[in-house]
Each structure stands twice: as C-alpha cells, then as structure tokens.
Amino acid sequence: MSTENEGTEGNAVPAVPSVPPAPPVPATTPDPAADDVRDEPAGTSAAGATPPAATPTHADAPRHTPTAQGTPQDHAATAHTPQPHTPPHPHQPPHSPYGAAPEPPAGAASWPPPPPPVPSYAGGGAAHTPGGGPVWGAPSSQPGHTPSPGTGKRGAGGLIAAVAVAALVAGGIGGALGFWAADRNDNGSSGSSTTVSASDSPRDLKRPAGTVAGVAAKALPSVVTIDAQGGDGEGGTGTGFVYDKEGHILTNNHVVASAAESGELSATFSDGKKYAAEVVGRAQGYDVAVLKLKNPPAGLTPLPLGNSESVAVGDSTIAIGAPFGLSNTVTTGIISAKNRPVASGDGSSSKNSYMSALQTDASINPGNSGGPLLDATGAVIGINSAIQSTGGGLGQSQAGSIGLGFAIPINQAKNVAEQLIKTGKPVYPVIGATVSMEEKTGGAAISPEGAAGTPSVTPNGPAAKAGLKPGDVITKFNDTVIDSGPTLIGEIWTRKPGEKVTLTYERDGKTSTAEVTLGQREGDS
C-alpha cells in the first residue's frame, strides 16, 4: 500500500480501487489512439508512466473515504441506469457492469477536477466531483471502457470490491463509536483531547497500612538521624529509632563511638526537629548503644519490636535510615539468609563486634547503621549494622550497597538494651574458653593458651566443668554448625547467661558432646 499523501498532484495511488468504480465521462470523446493503454487487464497499471492530464490512467485516480452525503451525480453513478447517449466501445458489452457514468457539469474542461483545498475526512485526500459528491474510484481503463473479455478478473474484482465496501462500512461504524467514546471521556469539554483521567487524584489515594508506603509513613516519625561530633573534630552520621516513651534511642555503638567520651550528640526527627542526646550505655562487642534525649518531646511513639527468631528466609524487609547523610530514606528487600556470622569493627579501635546476623538485600549504605530493619507489618526485626564491601571486608567503609547487608537480630539487641538502660554496662554470656579466630580450622578450635599467657580454658569455668580441653574443636552449638571462632562467639552472644547449651566437639578424631551452662562477663574488656 502506498504511503504517499493522497489528493496531491503528481502522486500515484494503488492500482486497485477500494470499491466498485463509477467511470467519469470525459468532456470530449476519448481518443481511440489511447486504446493500447486502456486495454490493460483489470488490476494492472503502467508503472512509471505519466499519462496526459485530460486522459488519466488508473494510477492517477485518488483513493477516497466514503461519506454519508452525496450529490445527485453520486446516486446516478451507483443506480446502474444505462446512459443512452454514451456510445459503446467496439469491444464493450452492451451494458457496463458498473452502470453509466454521470454527465459532467457544463463547462467542465478536464477530468479529474483539481483536489479540494483541504483534504477531506481526517486528511484522507478524497477528491470530489465538480458537483460536490465523492468519487468512489476509477476504472481500470479509460472512461467508458471496460476490461477486455477473457481476463478472468471481473469476478475477483467484484468480490474484492464487496469486501472493501464491508470494511469501509465497519470502519465507519468503529470510527463513530470511537469518537463517541472519546467525546464521553472528555467530560463534555469543547476540546478535542481524548486523554483519560484517573478516577482518583493523588490527594484522595488511600494507602493501606500493610503496603510499603503505609509502613513507612507510620514508622518514619519514630526514626531519627544521629549526628555525632567528637571532641577531636571527628564525627559522622547514623540512624536510630525510638525505643520507649521515656526518650531512649536504640542505635549502633559504632555510630556514637567518636562522641561517646567527649563530644556532642543530637537526634533529628523526620519533621526536622532536633534534640540533644547523651549516651546511656554501649556494648562494643554487640555493637549496640542506647541514647537518651535530654529534653524529649511529648507523645513519642516507640517502634513495635518483632520476634527475630520467627523470621524466615524470603520474608519482606524495609530498611529506614540516612545513607550518606540522606535522612528518611526507605529501601526494601527480603531476608536473604539467617544466622550469618559477621565480625565488624567500629572504625576507632582494633576490637570487633560479633553477631549471628540477619542478612538482607535491602539497600543499606554508610549512614543506615543503627536504623531499624522492619518486617512487612512494620515491626522491628533487626538493627542495620554492617555491609559487605567489594574490598572483601565487613564493616562500615564508604563502599556502597551490593545487596549484602547485615542486621543485629532484635531479640539480642533488646536484651542488650535492657541491660544498658538498667546498669549502663553490657553483660556477655561466655563458655570460659579462648578460641582461635582463624576461619580454616573446620570449627572453633580451643587455643593452646589464652591472652597474655593465661589458660585458654578458665579453671572451674563452664567449659572446664563440661570437660573441654585445649585443642578441642567445637563443630556444633546446639544444632547450628560451627565453622570458625567468630561463628561460635556470634551464636553464644545470642543467648543469655545461665542458659544451658549443647556443644559438639572433636578430640583425637573422635566426636563427643557436652552440656554447658553459660557463664557471664560484665563490661567490655
């Protein structure tokens, strides 16, 4: 199909008419010398030939779009009434199958008339007769001359024409319905726009409490951005959240470590209000700290605490924090692993913290530390604490998120927070044995000796009472497989002093078990 503009002088159109043509009658008798052009079989055209203006070939006839109106000439062209004044061609049957053509208006000098100044219906380029009616097509040969007999094209042409008429009628109905629908969607406006508007405007949109937007809207007022400025000029930004109505804020130790001894701490809420804060207590080994607002506002809403033990891999997560200082940032993901052994430093000392962490792929970056990791209901299941960096280390470097973030399980953080609020000092459960920090020992190997030459197994301590000795390799803590010393410490610190646990260990190639009652150590050493 041609893609040229129709109704433009000098442009060719398809050779097959869309509907049965009504041959126009020229103002003068056709020149018999042109019969070699007119006698082409139906459906052919002289490609590349430019016919005289007074005797256009089939390719010169513009295609047309039907309209609901016409002139008396139109009806005459479709009524199949023979015209006695038109002499038949020597090879023409007595009656044309298309009916007689209308007489042109008086004074018509040529055919077809010039195109209208404005293309008809939707720019389709439909030409009109001088009397105003649409021309439905053109014959395959000169006016008044039908195709030669024996070409076998007449029946096929009629079928194609009938299909074309049906398509045009159906298209016309569809177009009318489409225009009516567009006019209805325009709400009666006088413009031609067919844009469909949403039924609800943003101000009317209701977000259910269970959606991410609903959870974030409820939690954000209880999340603060912490600014820690040390006395030596060092400082940084982290996150915390409201732990209780008394104004306690739960966060990471490494967030406040630079300003814990001397410096200034402040907490800024999502509404922009800023409050001075002070350290109540911090646990370096757990990487947990508790702050207290000096002049807490009325109506504080603590975030609800969930149960990190019931979390399953694949559960949805929502992290809120201030990554790179961008406060009130919300990201989402899932729990991608549980009980992940993680050792991370606070950046200000050589001592590490250990945790059996919740792993999430929610985007966590420097500045998210200390912020809440929420489940789909908005309950806190962890405190965002560390990320895996591309350099291979775990910590709070300025590397960005690669989808491996780690959070302290809230059950553990809650136990530590309660102890810090009560005494200001952390309490750690212990087994009374020093283990190697090497990761390729096949478990947690009890060292030959402790720090500074002390015994590796504390005399009369929990491990000694259970029969453990230097050189034993602990391979299980209850049902959890232990592959290194940091893994064992992380698992021990998820428990409380006084709890009984079962340790599986290897000695001289033999596997044994021992029941150990956990002891305790107060404060960071």
Side-chain angles (χ1 to χ4, degrees), residues 157-435:
L159 177 60
I160 295 173
V163 173
V165 170
L168 288 169
V169 171
I173 294 174
L177 291 175
F179 176 80
W180 176 82
D183 185 62
R184 295 274 293 184
N185 285 332
D186 203 32
N187 296 324
S189 63
S190 59
S192 60
S193 173
T194 60
T195 301
V196 179
S197 299
S199 58
D200 295 324
S201 60
R203 63 177 178 272
D204 297 327
L205 183 60
K206 303 297 183 182
R207 293 176 175 86
T211 63
V212 173
V215 170
K218 186 176 181 180
L220 276 168
S222 299
V223 179
V224 298
T225 299
I226 297 173
D227 183 35
Q229 296 299 325
D232 55 0
E234 294 185 1
T237 301
T239 309
F241 60 93
V242 177
Y243 180 72
D244 58 27
K245 294 183 178 181
E246 285 70 39
H248 289 107
I249 304 295
L250 196 56
T251 186
N252 283 144
N253 172 67
H254 74 261
V255 169
V256 302
S258 62
E261 301 298 334
S262 63
E264 295 182 356
L265 289 166
S266 65
T268 304
F269 285 80
S270 60
D271 60 3
K273 294 181 179 180
K274 188 175 183 178
Y275 299 87
E278 60 186 354
V279 175
V280 171
R282 59 195 187 102
Q284 185 177 14
Y286 292 120
D287 197 17
V288 172
V290 176
L291 308 182
K292 180 112 173 10
L293 302 179
K294 292 183 178 179
N295 295 295
L300 285 176
T301 303
L303 287 182
L305 304 183
N307 181 6
S308 53
E309 290 294 327
S310 64
V311 171
V313 172
D315 283 350
S316 298
T317 58
I318 301 171
I320 302 179
F324 297 104
L326 301 174
S327 301
N328 310 316
T329 295
V330 178
T331 55
T332 63
I334 62 168
I335 293 292
S336 51
K338 293 179 62 177
N339 304 317
R340 185 70 75 192
V342 172
S344 62
D346 61 11
S348 63
S349 70
S350 59
K351 295 182 179 180
N352 289 330
S353 59
Y354 300 93
M355 56 180 143
S356 182
L358 297 175
Q359 179 180 302
T360 180
D361 67 348
S363 183
I364 296 175
N365 290 284
N368 275 106
S369 294
L373 184 68
L374 309 176
D375 63 14
T377 68
V380 181
I381 55 175
I383 301 177
N384 300 318
S385 182
I387 61 174
Q388 177 73 47
S389 67
T390 54
L394 287 163
Q396 295 78 33
S397 65
Q398 291 302 304
S401 171
I402 59 171
L404 290 172
F406 305 96
I408 303 167
I410 194 59
N411 289 15
Q412 177 183 357
K414 179 182 177 182
N415 294 336
V416 177
E418 292 294 336
Q419 190 67 37
L420 292 175
I421 292 173
K422 182 179 179 180
T423 67
K425 295 181 181 181
V427 175
Y428 298 92
V430 297
I431 62 170
T434 301
V435 296

Side-chain angles (χ1 to χ4, degrees), residues 429-435 444-447 455-472 474 477 488 492 499 501-503 505 507 513-520:
V430 297
I431 62 170
T434 301
V435 296
I446 299 178
S447 303
S456 60
V457 178
T458 304
N460 204 35
K465 290 179 179 179
L468 293 172
K469 298 178 179 181
D472 291 345
I474 300 172
F477 182 92
L488 177 62
I492 292 172
E499 286 191 32
V501 298
T502 300
L503 299 180
Y505 64 96
R507 179 189 299 170
T513 60
E515 186 176 75
V516 178
T517 301
L518 297 177
Q520 70 176 42

